[in-house]
Amino acid sequence: MTIYILEDEKNILKHIMALVSDIPYLQVVGYSADVAKAVTEIPQLQPELILADIQLKDGNSFSLFNKINVESSQIIFITAYDQYAIQALNLGAFAYLLKPIETNIFNETVDRCFKKTEEHKFNRQQLELSSNYYKGDTRPRKIALKNFKFTQIVPIEDILYCKSDKGYTTFLLKDGSSVLVSKILKDYEPLLPTDTFIRCHQSYLVNGNYISKYFKDGYLEMLTGDKVPVSDRKRDIVQEFIERL
């Protein structure tokens, strides 16, 4: 997450920089002690998060944010004055922290902001992909699988099955490769067509086009030879699904 810092007290700026450096997903792209510099830099840099003091040397950050477009940025105000809280929230700020900054509160607030930003990006990305339809069909053609290193765009027809474990989901693809993403299976299930994919187990979502055999004692065999469990309560549903293929 890219971040811009507005702070005119050197010691506090140094402290904020130290807090930010301990959070691996944050990247400082700029900082300023005055409105005159920030009014030019923020629109150019388009940071995802702005940490802003309210009272600056040449004005206040409220006047700054009324001059520039910050709709694509989250704002966390950090100030010694609590009388501005309502004004900050009316501006659409994500949070309002008082000085001196408590490390735990700072970390928790930034983490919530990061998760909200990532969720928004994920939903927007999936929506864009879902708008790429088959001709005459409303099914999405591709899905974006994102982890901390990259985002891989995968044709839905190439997914053999998905396996969820401890908050992560692994997508097994027909070329033998796999993609691990840091989201649960439930987040992806609505994005995959129900006439093709079946939730056969709490931890598995399977592409019916790659099912080779269904064993009534509780598992599926894929064309690759992989065996996927079928939970007891899903057996009738899986049987009906297979009969429709």
Side-chain angles (χ1 to χ4, degrees):
M1 174 186 277
T2 56
I3 185 171
Y4 190 94
I5 303 172
L6 266 172
E7 178 57 63
D8 59 1
E9 296 184 44
K10 290 184 178 179
N11 288 337
I12 295 178
L13 176 61
K14 185 177 179 180
H15 180 49
I16 293 174
M17 287 287 198
L19 292 174
V20 168
S21 67
D22 287 336
I23 302 176
Y25 55 76
L26 294 183
Q27 176 191 359
V28 177
V29 294
Y31 60 90
S32 176
D34 53 74
V35 171
K37 181 182 177 185
V39 74
T40 301
E41 288 191 339
I42 290 176
Q44 292 176 343
L45 296 169
Q46 290 290 303
E48 294 173 290
L49 172 61
I50 303 171
L51 298 177
D53 191 4
I54 293 177
Q55 294 292 352
L56 302 168
K57 292 178 179 179
D58 60 343
N60 67 64
S61 53
F62 290 136
S63 63
L64 166 65
F65 297 139
N66 285 327
K67 292 178 183 177
I68 61 176
N69 185 351
V70 289
E71 289 183 3
S72 61
S73 303
Q74 297 284 1
I75 302 173
I76 297 177
F77 285 104
I78 301 175
T79 179
Y81 308 98
D82 60 4
Q83 67 264 35
Y84 296 112
I86 294 177
Q87 192 173 351
L89 295 175
N90 286 339
L91 188 68
F94 181 81
Y96 185 94
L97 304 180
L98 289 174
K99 300 176 182 177
I101 305 167
E102 295 185 25
T103 301
N104 289 341
I105 293 177
F106 178 85
N107 290 344
E108 290 171 2
T109 303
V110 170
D111 188 57
R112 284 191 291 108
C113 185
F114 172 71
K115 289 177 180 177
K116 180 179 179 180
T117 302
E118 289 298 294
E119 188 68 26
H120 175 72
K121 288 194 291 186
F122 171 79
N123 291 337
R124 183 178 60 193
Q125 194 170 40
Q126 299 298 344
L127 182 62
E128 289 172 355
L129 285 172
S130 295
S131 65
N132 187 10
Y133 299 139
Y134 286 115
K135 187 176 180 180
D137 199 343
T138 57
R139 294 177 297 179
R141 299 173 64 180
K142 298 180 180 180
I143 191 169
L145 305 180
K146 181 178 181 180
N147 58 32
F148 288 111
K149 293 183 179 180
F150 58 84
T151 299
Q152 183 167 337
I153 309 302
V154 174
I156 287 177
E157 62 186 18
D158 288 354
I159 301 171
L160 273 73
Y161 64 92
C162 318
K163 178 182 179 182
S164 183
D165 183 42
K166 298 179 180 178
Y168 292 85
T169 300
T170 301
F171 284 75
L172 289 301
L173 308 181
K174 71 177 184 180
D175 64 1
S177 65
S178 62
V179 183
L180 178 67
V181 296
S182 55
K183 284 186 174 293
I184 61 175
L185 192 56
K186 185 179 178 181
D187 291 331
Y188 289 98
E189 187 174 4
L191 303 174
L192 298 172
T194 56
D195 61 339
T196 307
F197 285 80
I198 177 72
R199 187 76 174 265
C200 62
H201 186 279
Q202 180 179 350
S203 302
Y204 288 86
L205 185 63
V206 172
N207 186 339
N209 292 328
Y210 296 100
I211 296 174
S212 172
K213 298 175 183 177
Y214 169 51
F215 292 86
K216 294 183 179 180
D217 54 348
Y219 69 92
L220 297 168
E221 184 176 307
M222 310 301 290
L223 290 174
T224 56
D226 294 8
K227 292 181 173 55
V228 177
V230 176
S231 65
D232 290 343
R233 65 187 185 89
K234 293 283 188 178
R235 291 187 183 185
D236 290 342
I237 297 174
V238 169
Q239 183 69 54
E240 292 174 4
F241 174 81
I242 289 174
E243 290 173 358
R244 292 197 303 268
L245 290 176

